[in-house]
Amino acid sequence: MAYRISFQKGKRVSFTKLWPCDLEAAIAHAKAQLPVQRAQSGATSVSVVCERTGEVVYTFTEQPEAVES
């Protein structure tokens, strides 16, 4: 089964990759690539969507770091 990994900056999709492997590998790739995509395009979230059903099977959004005053 194929999955679509999408990295977003706010509501804008900054990069999408089709992942033709299993779900665990797609999620591991999404987690590993989020810091890379953040550095390259400012991505703050990632989602993994099943290409067959359109179901969102994983999502992660980075929380902004709290600024102490």
Side-chain angles (χ1 to χ4, degrees):
M1 186 171 304
Y3 297 93
R4 183 174 16 96
I5 303 171
S6 297
F7 296 90
Q8 298 91 18
K9 179 180 181 181
K11 294 187 181 219
R12 182 180 61 84
V13 174
S14 58
F15 181 76
T16 300
K17 179 174 185 150
L18 189 61
W19 192 262
C21 297
D22 66 293
L23 179 57
E24 286 184 24
I27 292 172
H29 182 76
K31 288 178 179 178
Q33 286 299 302
L34 185 55
V36 173
Q37 290 299 320
R38 180 179 52 243
Q40 291 178 351
S41 64
T44 57
S45 64
V46 63
S47 60
V48 178
V49 177
C50 176
E51 279 290 291
R52 186 174 56 84
T53 66
E55 178 185 2
V56 176
V57 293
Y58 174 80
T59 186
F60 178 78
T61 301
E62 290 186 333
Q63 299 300 319
E65 292 183 21
V67 177
E68 294 184 26
S69 50

